[in-house]
PDB file of all heavy atoms in Angstrom:
ATOM      1  N   GLU U  80     -32.958 -54.247 -42.039  1.00 93.00           N
ATOM      2  CA  GLU U  80     -33.168 -54.260 -43.480  1.00 93.00           C
ATOM      3  C   GLU U  80     -34.532 -54.651 -43.883  1.00 93.00           C
ATOM      4  O   GLU U  80     -35.138 -54.168 -44.777  1.00 93.00           O
ATOM      5  CB  GLU U  80     -32.101 -55.139 -44.178  1.00 93.00           C
ATOM      6  CG  GLU U  80     -30.705 -54.530 -44.184  1.00 93.00           C
ATOM      7  CD  GLU U  80     -29.665 -55.406 -44.835  1.00 93.00           C
ATOM      8  OE1 GLU U  80     -29.690 -56.632 -44.588  1.00 93.00           O
ATOM      9  OE2 GLU U  80     -28.869 -54.891 -45.624  1.00 93.00           O
ATOM     10  N   SER U  81     -35.123 -55.673 -43.106  1.00 92.00           N
ATOM     11  CA  SER U  81     -36.471 -56.128 -43.415  1.00 92.00           C
ATOM     12  C   SER U  81     -37.445 -54.969 -43.182  1.00 92.00           C
ATOM     13  O   SER U  81     -38.410 -54.734 -43.952  1.00 92.00           O
ATOM     14  CB  SER U  81     -36.831 -57.327 -42.571  1.00 92.00           C
ATOM     15  OG  SER U  81     -36.025 -58.398 -42.846  1.00 92.00           O
ATOM     16  N   LEU U  82     -37.229 -54.232 -42.081  1.00 93.00           N
ATOM     17  CA  LEU U  82     -38.122 -53.112 -41.783  1.00 93.00           C
ATOM     18  C   LEU U  82     -37.995 -52.002 -42.880  1.00 93.00           C
ATOM     19  O   LEU U  82     -38.985 -51.412 -43.333  1.00 93.00           O
ATOM     20  CB  LEU U  82     -37.881 -52.522 -40.436  1.00 93.00           C
ATOM     21  CG  LEU U  82     -38.843 -51.495 -39.972  1.00 93.00           C
ATOM     22  CD1 LEU U  82     -40.267 -52.100 -39.762  1.00 93.00           C
ATOM     23  CD2 LEU U  82     -38.422 -50.840 -38.630  1.00 93.00           C
ATOM     24  N   ILE U  83     -36.783 -51.741 -43.246  1.00 92.00           N
ATOM     25  CA  ILE U  83     -36.538 -50.711 -44.340  1.00 92.00           C
ATOM     26  C   ILE U  83     -37.201 -51.134 -45.591  1.00 92.00           C
ATOM     27  O   ILE U  83     -37.909 -50.321 -46.232  1.00 92.00           O
ATOM     28  CB  ILE U  83     -34.989 -50.495 -44.508  1.00 92.00           C
ATOM     29  CG1 ILE U  83     -34.378 -49.893 -43.264  1.00 92.00           C
ATOM     30  CG2 ILE U  83     -34.736 -49.630 -45.758  1.00 92.00           C
ATOM     31  CD1 ILE U  83     -32.860 -49.896 -43.253  1.00 92.00           C
ATOM     32  N   GLU U  84     -37.065 -52.395 -45.946  1.00 91.00           N
ATOM     33  CA  GLU U  84     -37.663 -52.861 -47.178  1.00 91.00           C
ATOM     34  C   GLU U  84     -39.229 -52.845 -47.110  1.00 91.00           C
ATOM     35  O   GLU U  84     -39.940 -52.370 -48.057  1.00 91.00           O
ATOM     36  CB  GLU U  84     -37.278 -54.344 -47.446  1.00 91.00           C
ATOM     37  CG  GLU U  84     -37.803 -54.888 -48.753  1.00 91.00           C
ATOM     38  CD  GLU U  84     -37.290 -56.326 -49.004  1.00 91.00           C
ATOM     39  OE1 GLU U  84     -36.159 -56.609 -48.559  1.00 91.00           O
ATOM     40  OE2 GLU U  84     -38.056 -57.072 -49.574  1.00 91.00           O
ATOM     41  N   SER U  85     -39.789 -53.111 -45.964  1.00 88.00           N
ATOM     42  CA  SER U  85     -41.266 -53.104 -45.788  1.00 88.00           C
ATOM     43  C   SER U  85     -41.805 -51.663 -45.929  1.00 88.00           C
ATOM     44  O   SER U  85     -42.870 -51.464 -46.464  1.00 88.00           O
ATOM     45  CB  SER U  85     -41.627 -53.702 -44.450  1.00 88.00           C
ATOM     46  OG  SER U  85     -41.308 -52.839 -43.435  1.00 88.00           O
ATOM     47  N   ARG U  86     -40.955 -50.626 -45.509  1.00 84.00           N
ATOM     48  CA  ARG U  86     -41.397 -49.334 -45.661  1.00 84.00           C
ATOM     49  C   ARG U  86     -41.491 -48.903 -47.149  1.00 84.00           C
ATOM     50  O   ARG U  86     -42.334 -48.104 -47.488  1.00 84.00           O
ATOM     51  CB  ARG U  86     -40.524 -48.384 -44.861  1.00 84.00           C
ATOM     52  CG  ARG U  86     -41.028 -46.986 -44.735  1.00 84.00           C
ATOM     53  CD  ARG U  86     -40.230 -46.109 -43.817  1.00 84.00           C
ATOM     54  NE  ARG U  86     -41.039 -45.114 -43.215  1.00 84.00           N
ATOM     55  CZ  ARG U  86     -40.580 -44.100 -42.498  1.00 84.00           C
ATOM     56  NH1 ARG U  86     -39.291 -43.959 -42.223  1.00 84.00           N
ATOM     57  NH2 ARG U  86     -41.424 -43.243 -41.971  1.00 84.00           N
ATOM     58  N   SER U  87     -40.532 -49.322 -47.886  1.00 81.00           N
ATOM     59  CA  SER U  87     -40.541 -48.958 -49.322  1.00 81.00           C
ATOM     60  C   SER U  87     -41.639 -49.710 -50.069  1.00 81.00           C
ATOM     61  O   SER U  87     -42.259 -49.113 -51.008  1.00 81.00           O
ATOM     62  CB  SER U  87     -39.178 -49.297 -49.954  1.00 81.00           C
ATOM     63  OG  SER U  87     -38.978 -50.699 -49.912  1.00 81.00           O
ATOM     64  N   LEU U  88     -42.017 -50.871 -49.637  1.00 85.00           N
ATOM     65  CA  LEU U  88     -43.120 -51.598 -50.273  1.00 85.00           C
ATOM     66  C   LEU U  88     -44.494 -51.110 -49.789  1.00 85.00           C
ATOM     67  O   LEU U  88     -45.445 -51.102 -50.570  1.00 85.00           O
ATOM     68  CB  LEU U  88     -43.038 -53.150 -49.924  1.00 85.00           C
ATOM     69  CG  LEU U  88     -41.830 -53.820 -50.495  1.00 85.00           C
ATOM     70  CD1 LEU U  88     -41.713 -55.233 -50.026  1.00 85.00           C
ATOM     71  CD2 LEU U  88     -41.875 -53.815 -52.068  1.00 85.00           C
ATOM     72  N   PHE U  89     -44.620 -50.775 -48.487  1.00 85.00           N
ATOM     73  CA  PHE U  89     -45.856 -50.298 -47.947  1.00 85.00           C
ATOM     74  C   PHE U  89     -45.693 -48.988 -47.150  1.00 85.00           C
ATOM     75  O   PHE U  89     -45.655 -48.943 -45.929  1.00 85.00           O
ATOM     76  CB  PHE U  89     -46.451 -51.368 -46.955  1.00 85.00           C
ATOM     77  CG  PHE U  89     -46.531 -52.732 -47.575  1.00 85.00           C
ATOM     78  CD1 PHE U  89     -45.575 -53.744 -47.327  1.00 85.00           C
ATOM     79  CD2 PHE U  89     -47.563 -53.108 -48.429  1.00 85.00           C
ATOM     80  CE1 PHE U  89     -45.617 -54.958 -47.898  1.00 85.00           C
ATOM     81  CE2 PHE U  89     -47.651 -54.320 -48.997  1.00 85.00           C
ATOM     82  CZ  PHE U  89     -46.694 -55.275 -48.761  1.00 85.00           C
ATOM     83  N   PRO U  90     -45.484 -47.894 -47.865  1.00 79.00           N
ATOM     84  CA  PRO U  90     -45.141 -46.596 -47.261  1.00 79.00           C
ATOM     85  C   PRO U  90     -46.193 -46.089 -46.245  1.00 79.00           C
ATOM     86  O   PRO U  90     -45.829 -45.298 -45.376  1.00 79.00           O
ATOM     87  CB  PRO U  90     -44.952 -45.622 -48.453  1.00 79.00           C
ATOM     88  CG  PRO U  90     -45.688 -46.247 -49.578  1.00 79.00           C
ATOM     89  CD  PRO U  90     -45.620 -47.766 -49.298  1.00 79.00           C
ATOM     90  N   ASN U  91     -47.429 -46.437 -46.405  1.00 82.00           N
ATOM     91  CA  ASN U  91     -48.450 -45.849 -45.550  1.00 82.00           C
ATOM     92  C   ASN U  91     -48.819 -46.751 -44.322  1.00 82.00           C
ATOM     93  O   ASN U  91     -49.758 -46.459 -43.602  1.00 82.00           O
ATOM     94  CB  ASN U  91     -49.770 -45.621 -46.364  1.00 82.00           C
ATOM     95  CG  ASN U  91     -49.485 -44.602 -47.474  1.00 82.00           C
ATOM     96  OD1 ASN U  91     -48.730 -43.667 -47.298  1.00 82.00           O
ATOM     97  ND2 ASN U  91     -50.104 -44.795 -48.626  1.00 82.00           N
ATOM     98  N   GLN U  92     -48.112 -47.780 -44.123  1.00 84.00           N
ATOM     99  CA  GLN U  92     -48.359 -48.732 -43.046  1.00 84.00           C
ATOM    100  C   GLN U  92     -47.230 -48.661 -42.015  1.00 84.00           C
ATOM    101  O   GLN U  92     -46.060 -48.561 -42.333  1.00 84.00           O
ATOM    102  CB  GLN U  92     -48.591 -50.165 -43.517  1.00 84.00           C
ATOM    103  CG  GLN U  92     -49.850 -50.265 -44.367  1.00 84.00           C
ATOM    104  CD  GLN U  92     -50.069 -51.727 -44.787  1.00 84.00           C
ATOM    105  OE1 GLN U  92     -49.545 -52.653 -44.234  1.00 84.00           O
ATOM    106  NE2 GLN U  92     -50.963 -51.936 -45.829  1.00 84.00           N
ATOM    107  N   ILE U  93     -47.590 -48.854 -40.757  1.00 84.00           N
ATOM    108  CA  ILE U  93     -46.579 -48.858 -39.702  1.00 84.00           C
ATOM    109  C   ILE U  93     -46.242 -50.303 -39.332  1.00 84.00           C
ATOM    110  O   ILE U  93     -47.205 -51.117 -39.099  1.00 84.00           O
ATOM    111  CB  ILE U  93     -47.104 -48.151 -38.430  1.00 84.00           C
ATOM    112  CG1 ILE U  93     -47.372 -46.682 -38.775  1.00 84.00           C
ATOM    113  CG2 ILE U  93     -46.135 -48.252 -37.262  1.00 84.00           C
ATOM    114  CD1 ILE U  93     -48.109 -45.920 -37.683  1.00 84.00           C
TER     115      ILE U  93
END
Side-chain angles (χ1 to χ4, degrees):
E80 286 179 317
S81 297
L82 186 65
I83 293 167
E84 185 179 325
S85 71
R86 191 174 210 190
S87 64
L88 294 172
F89 307 99
N91 299 324
Q92 294 184 17
I93 297 171

